[in-house]
């Protein structure tokens, strides 16, 4: 049985590895080698960690296979860094993590962003009740879409 727990500082190196492993195929697909999820350093991850609540999903062996982070400001929950290792994708883990962070952090509105070109991500978030509210040009071939869900 997979378990979702609050991550601790000792998890940061493994969380960063999951992030990079999960995002590498996306970065290749989008031809985005300098994406922050790929270039983030351990020092940067450690510095950011205290500003968020980070949840981790463990497999049966206790290995981190997915993660999500969030923080609430003025009643608005920002959800970020939803990552699932490639071999565990398509099993509902991302959905479980989104629901867990929403339950963990009370809010009136939740929001997140993803690349519009990642149709699977947009579909997942739409299925969970998120709707686009803003688009932002990243470069010649990438558009960031901001999505929100009101409670």
């Amino acid at each position: 049985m997979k378990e979702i727990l609050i991550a601790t500082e000792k998890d940061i190196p493994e969380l960063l590895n999951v992030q990079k492993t999960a995002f590498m195929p996306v970065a290749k697909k989008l031809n985005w080698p300098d994406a922050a999820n790929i270039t983030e350093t351990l020092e940067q991850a450690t510095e950011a960690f205290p500003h968020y609540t980070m949840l981790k999903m463990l497999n049966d062996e206790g290995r981190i296979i997915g993660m999500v982070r969030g923080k609430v400001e003025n009643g608005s929950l920002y959800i970020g860094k939803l990552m699932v290792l490639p071999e565990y994708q398509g099993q509902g883990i991302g959905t479980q993590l989104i629901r867990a962070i929403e339950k963990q952090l009370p809010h009136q509105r939740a929001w997140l962003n993803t690349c519009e070109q990642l149709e699977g991500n947009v579909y997942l978030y739409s299925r969970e009740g998120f709707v686009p509210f803003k688009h932002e040009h990243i470069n010649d071939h990438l558009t960031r879409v901001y999505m929100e869900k009101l409670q």
Side-chain angles (χ1 to χ4, degrees), residues 76-80 82 98 102 107-136 143-151:
S76 188
L77 167 62
Y78 167 68
I79 299 172
L82 175 64
I98 289 171
E102 286 187 278
H107 58 281
Q108 287 85 45
R109 170 186 179 257
W111 71 279
L112 48 79
N113 68 76
T114 189
C115 285
E116 190 171 59
Q117 290 72 15
L118 297 173
E119 294 91 2
N121 289 13
V122 173
Y123 175 75
L124 166 67
Y125 302 139
S126 296
R127 201 178 65 221
E128 287 301 305
F130 288 84
V131 294
F133 70 92
K134 177 180 163 185
H135 293 80
E136 178 181 73
T143 302
R144 180 173 287 128
V145 59
Y146 293 82
M147 302 178 78
E148 69 181 345
K149 176 167 70 169
L150 302 176
Q151 299 302 317

Side-chain angles (χ1 to χ4, degrees), residues 47-100:
E47 186 177 307
F49 187 84
H51 302 284
Y52 296 90
T53 296
M54 181 82 73
L55 300 181
K56 61 184 179 181
M57 180 174 277
L58 306 177
N59 67 6
D60 295 335
E61 292 79 44
R63 183 173 154 233
I64 299 174
I65 59 169
M67 58 183 253
V68 65
R69 74 179 190 182
K71 71 176 176 178
V72 177
E73 292 180 355
N74 300 320
S76 188
L77 167 62
Y78 167 68
I79 299 172
K81 296 198 184 265
L82 175 64
M83 304 283 174
V84 177
L85 289 174
E87 62 268 31
Y88 290 93
Q89 292 175 6
Q91 300 177 29
I93 292 169
T95 299
Q96 291 176 56
L97 286 165
I98 289 171
R99 291 176 183 173

